[in-house]
Amino acid sequence: MRAFVLAAVVALAAAGCGTGTQQQSTGDWRTDADRGAILRAGARLTPAWVSKTFDPLKSIGGSDIVLDRLIYGTLTGKNAAGQPTPWLVESWSQPEPTVLDLKVRQGVTFHDGSPFTAEAVKAGLDRNRSAGSPYAASLAAISSIELPDANTVRLVTSRPASGALLLTLSGREGLIPGPASLADPDSMATNPIGAGPFQILEWRQGESMKLRAYPGYYDKDQYLVAGIDFVNVNDEVSARNAVLAGDIDVGFVDAEGVPALTANPGTAVAVNQSDAAYYVNINLTTQNPPLADVRVRQAINTAVNRDQIASAVIGAGSAPAWQLFPQGYPGHDPALEKRYAYDPARARQMLADAGYPNGFDMKLYAVSTTPSITRTTEIVAANLNDVGIRTQIVAGTSWVQDYAIDRKGDAAVGTWLPRTDPTLTFQSLFGGVGTLNVGKYSSPELNGIVDQAQGVTDSAAADTLLKQASGYVVDQALEVPIAYMPSLWGYSQKIGLRDGTLRDHGNLGQGLDFTSVYVKR
């Protein structure tokens, strides 16, 4: 979902896969990998980023999914093209538009040796979609769960939603604790029992997390290390310095640190594409009447200098954002690029045509604790002032309290946090009850397109519908996309890349794909 975050975590990453610069010679992991090695990774582990428990219902911190995915596994995965892939569920079928059958992978066990069964999956999903669960909304399409046979979990939905659910189950919603953990939820604070590739050896909250390979994991070649030691890093600069010093093997780093990591013979950098982005969230109500006018919102989009922010603020690997999804991602439409190219004179004329020749007053909110957000907000405000929109910056420390609840701004600058399912992007931002839809804007036309996309399992058909939804958002100028954020990974030359590419799961909290790396012999 889109979220206003204070800083990046180790897991700022490209959705599904790294596709940018990879400074690493390829080898053969079958002979090069030290299968007994422990990989050291930097991560945000403070209480602000990691919850006090690994109970999926309470494990909602920014870094939690990085750890939970390794402990529990997820029912499905997601590839670089944004398509669902098998994991703990080995296959699926759609016998009816409102029925999705999941075949549970055979031979999988939980960490206590108990079998990973369809019954266990049903119990976990029923819990994840229960009232009060943080995932109740994203799993709301499920009306019931049945077990037609010992290896099949049948999801019956209130409307066609199978395509969306397969992607949703590759995220937090697809974390399934073992029966023993469900019987004693408090035990998940220190001893979560999952069916994933790793178990907790040691957990020092705020400092470190040691994971060790689960001996009974079904696929011995999926992960190529004997364990992962996570070390707390406070920010990207700290991660960069830790990689340079040899204190960690890999971590998400700052753009300013790329030259040093590239020049150092013992380290390298992966610059990955990402769909995380800086953007302006607009309160689409009559709080400030001009913003309810699509012509005004189009003028605002035309007034913003995206190229300046991408190059001067975000830096290496960034690119201007003209729509929700970047090139190569489902929902990206090349026809939408540069629809609102930077043109102050045109923006002023657009405002005049909308009935505001003398501009209007506007408050622009931003969380003030992140320098890049502050600088982006300053540039956006200057751009708007330049075309006659008298913009007052309102700085704060809590987007939810200050902007969403107290309405201290008419719009807000923030960063986009990707979701596993792109339809959830539209629902979060523009659905009637979307968490980031501050003004509770709702469009039956847009909602209808998104609902159709959720029911499609064919990737090409889904992409066509997602493009339609993207076009609607751009045409109506429901937000101001600014610039995509790259995923910058610094890593030691001791690290090998399985197929020559360092992959990751998604920017801002989704994490490194540890199947893509190994420690060299």
Side-chain angles (χ1 to χ4, degrees):
M1 53 186 258
R2 289 206 179 209
F4 289 76
V5 297
L6 304 184
V9 66
V10 64
L12 294 176
C17 175
T19 57
T21 302
Q22 306 283 337
Q23 299 186 13
Q24 173 73 41
S25 59
T26 59
D28 187 341
W29 60 268
R30 297 169 186 81
T31 56
D32 294 348
D34 181 354
R35 303 295 287 266
I38 305 298
L39 179 71
R40 301 168 301 162
R44 284 287 187 90
L45 299 177
T46 61
W49 290 91
V50 175
S51 304
K52 294 181 179 180
T53 177
F54 297 95
D55 182 343
L57 295 193
K58 300 177 181 179
S59 185
I60 55 175
S63 294
D64 283 343
I65 187 61
V66 179
L67 305 173
D68 290 345
R69 182 185 289 113
L70 297 169
I71 295 168
Y72 293 107
T74 52
L75 292 178
T76 61
K78 180 180 175 182
N79 65 18
Q83 300 167 337
T85 57
W87 193 352
L88 296 178
V89 164
E90 63 182 359
S91 64
W92 50 81
S93 61
Q94 189 180 21
E96 299 177 26
T98 56
V99 174
L100 177 63
D101 283 349
L102 307 175
K103 289 294 183 181
V104 176
R105 187 177 296 278
Q106 298 301 289
V108 176
T109 62
F110 289 103
H111 297 160
D112 61 357
S114 60
F116 184 83
T117 63
E119 185 176 355
V121 172
K122 180 182 184 302
L125 286 178
D126 277 337
R127 185 172 186 262
N128 288 350
R129 69 187 187 94
S130 62
S133 164
Y135 319 119
S138 52
L139 296 175
I142 301 175
S143 56
S144 65
I145 301 178
E146 303 171 358
L147 300 178
D149 60 56
N151 301 320
T152 303
V153 178
R154 172 165 291 173
L155 306 183
V156 180
T157 58
S158 57
R159 53 181 171 76
S162 296
L165 283 173
L166 287 171
L167 288 170
T168 298
L169 295 176
S170 70
R172 299 173 193 248
E173 294 86 345
L175 300 170
I176 306 297
S181 286
L182 293 185
D184 182 12
D186 291 343
S187 68
M188 286 187 272
T190 56
N191 184 36
I193 298 173
F198 295 93
Q199 298 173 275
I200 296 176
L201 174 66
E202 180 182 274
W203 169 223
R204 295 183 179 180
Q205 191 167 24
E207 298 180 12
S208 63
M209 161 73 78
K210 294 183 178 181
L211 299 179
R212 294 298 179 266
Y214 168 48
Y217 188 64
Y218 75 93
D219 187 346
K220 303 301 183 184
D221 288 333
Q222 185 178 9
Y223 292 83
L224 303 176
V225 295
I228 304 170
D229 284 356
F230 288 97
V231 179
N232 181 62
V233 291
N234 291 322
D235 51 40
E236 303 101 303
V237 175
S238 299
R240 175 239 297 180
N241 291 333
V243 172
L244 286 170
D247 295 330
I248 60 175
D249 299 315
V250 62
F252 188 81
V253 301
D254 59 316
E256 291 77 9
V258 169
L261 288 161
T262 303
N264 181 21
T267 57
V269 177
V271 181
N272 291 351
Q273 185 187 30
S274 166
D275 62 344
Y278 283 46
Y279 83 123
V280 178
N281 179 293
I282 301 174
N283 185 340
L284 298 166
T285 66
T286 56
Q287 174 173 308
N288 193 341
L291 297 180
D293 189 327
V294 61
R295 298 170 297 174
V296 170
R297 299 195 301 269
Q298 290 170 341
I300 290 174
N301 268 272
T302 305
V304 173
N305 191 338
R306 293 166 171 83
D307 289 284
Q308 179 186 4
I309 295 170
S311 61
V313 178
I314 305 177
S318 180
W322 308 99
Q323 54 186 300
L324 284 171
F325 307 108
Q327 183 177 1
Y329 286 76
H332 174 85
D333 187 348
L336 301 176
E337 292 292 277
K338 298 188 177 181
R339 173 74 63 85
Y340 302 115
Y342 176 57
D343 189 337
R346 180 169 178 262
R348 283 190 287 269
Q349 185 60 51
M350 294 169 75
L351 286 172
D353 293 343
Y356 298 95
N358 299 316
F360 60 93
D361 297 322
M362 183 176 115
K363 293 181 179 179
L364 183 64
Y365 177 82
V367 173
S368 60
T369 53
T370 302
S372 57
I373 292 292
T374 299
R375 180 59 182 142
T376 297
T377 305
E378 292 170 347
I379 294 174
V380 171
N383 292 159
L384 297 181
N385 278 303
D386 187 44
V387 301
I389 301 175
R390 295 172 294 278
T391 305
Q392 174 190 351
I393 296 176
V394 179
T397 58
S398 171
W399 183 87
V400 173
Q401 185 63 48
D402 297 337
Y403 178 61
I405 297 176
D406 294 340
R407 306 293 179 92
K408 292 183 178 180
D410 303 310
V413 173
T415 52
W416 161 243
L417 182 62
R419 295 296 300 266
T420 53
D421 169 20
T423 64
L424 296 180
T425 295
F426 296 103
Q427 290 185 333
S428 294
L429 285 165
F430 314 117
V433 294
T435 54
L436 298 172
N437 185 359
V438 175
K440 301 310 174 190
Y441 166 90
S442 182
S443 162
E445 181 179 349
L446 179 59
N447 294 341
I449 297 170
V450 172
D451 285 348
Q452 289 182 62
Q454 288 188 329
V456 174
T457 55
D458 177 74
S459 59
D463 186 53
T464 297
L465 290 165
L466 291 170
K467 286 179 178 177
Q468 291 180 23
S470 293
Y472 184 93
V473 171
V474 171
D475 290 343
Q476 295 297 311
L478 299 182
E479 62 156 14
V480 185
I482 299 176
Y484 298 115
M485 301 169 61
S487 297
L488 305 176
W489 293 91
Y491 58 98
S492 167
Q493 291 285 14
K494 297 177 182 177
I495 297 300
L497 308 182
R498 185 194 288 256
D499 57 8
T501 301
L502 185 150
R503 298 190 302 270
D504 37 46
H505 290 286
N507 215 331
L508 291 175
Q510 294 299 308
L512 178 70
D513 180 353
F514 287 96
T515 68
S516 70
V517 298
Y518 60 88
V519 179
K520 297 176 184 176
R521 292 184 182 275

